[in-house]
Amino acid sequence: MRLVIQLLLWAVIAFLAWLTFDAVYRPIQFNKVKEQRYPKVIENLKDIRAAELAHKEIIGTFQGDFDKLVQFIDTAEFAITQRRDTTVLDEEYKKNYGVDEYIEKILIDTLDFVSVKDSLYKGNRDRYTSMINIPIKGVDAKIELEAGSIQKGDNKIPVFEAKVAKSVILYDQDKQMISQENEVQSVEEVNGRYISVGSMEEVSTSGNWPQTYGDQ
């Protein structure tokens, strides 16, 4: 009888030890996977943001259709400009008052053009045609992309958003750990259910990741 009790106690001790180990080990392993995968997704989001900002600079709007965004990158060019100050005679003032009056002006000279694909992606077409894909082995999904405008006073301001659900990135991880990750609120973590850049609700082109992952 005593032997049976001892065996049961050892079994309980072993089980409690395993629970303690698992409680420590699971978060460590989960964080390792997260820290390997999040940066890959964020790099693609940064590439998409660069393309969207170029589209806004040249066209005046953001683009929510990825195929059209790729077409834009294939063909668009940045103008290389030079800004210079100059002073010119105000002819109308002289005509009205008979006195020379000079106006300071800023002139913008276009010096050359450079393609968007070369400027942003070093001409690597595979890089920008695949940036919409989630670069995680085993994940066959794409980054969600949307563009439009929001009303600010009398003005419509162009906005865009690109995002990926954490549950997609961490598809093969413990569901309870993913639920906890979705609820995280910390300046050192990616808050919320998505990793995202831009916003469809406010004027922003920032990412929601901490600075440890690079420029926001």
Side-chain angles (χ1 to χ4, degrees), residues 12 22 39 72 84 93 99 118 120 130 153 173 188-189 197:
V12 170
D22 187 59
F72 164 79
R84 57 188 175 90
Y93 189 92
V99 179
D118 288 337
L120 298 182
S130 64
Q173 298 301 297
E188 298 178 351
E189 299 287 347
V197 64

Side-chain angles (χ1 to χ4, degrees), residues 28-45:
I28 291 174
Q29 290 303 111
F30 181 84
N31 285 332
K32 281 184 179 179
V33 171
K34 181 179 75 172
E35 289 166 6
Q36 289 172 352
R37 295 182 184 180
Y38 280 11
K40 296 177 182 178
V41 173
I42 289 169
E43 285 306 309
N44 279 26
L45 290 172

Side-chain angles (χ1 to χ4, degrees), residues 173-214:
Q173 298 301 297
D174 184 274
K175 302 305 180 186
Q176 183 179 355
M177 296 298 300
I178 294 174
S179 295
Q180 292 175 9
E181 175 67 16
N182 286 338
E183 299 298 323
V184 71
Q185 292 293 324
S186 169
V187 295
E188 298 178 351
E189 299 287 347
V190 179
N191 295 331
R193 295 173 53 235
Y194 295 88
I195 302 180
S196 64
V197 64
S199 173
M200 293 302 295
E201 298 177 357
E202 59 185 62
V203 181
S204 172
T205 59
S206 296
N208 70 334
W209 53 84
Q211 291 185 349
T212 51
Y213 290 101

Side-chain angles (χ1 to χ4, degrees), residues 3-19:
L3 179 60
V4 172
I5 293 172
Q6 286 178 337
L7 290 173
L8 287 173
L9 286 173
W10 279 112
V12 170
I13 290 169
F15 178 69
L16 292 175
W18 179 85
L19 287 179

Side-chain angles (χ1 to χ4, degrees), residues 86-91 101-105:
T86 188
T87 303
V88 297
L89 180 66
D90 188 337
E91 299 287 354
E101 179 75 13
Y102 290 90
I103 305 171
E104 291 186 357
K105 286 189 174 182

Side-chain angles (χ1 to χ4, degrees), residues 24 116 118 155:
V24 174
V116 169
D118 288 337
N155 300 315

Side-chain angles (χ1 to χ4, degrees), residues 145-162:
L145 180 63
E146 188 177 0
S149 62
I150 58 175
Q151 195 76 31
K152 289 288 184 181
D154 296 329
N155 300 315
K156 281 190 174 182
I157 310 297
V159 293
F160 85 96
E161 185 175 34

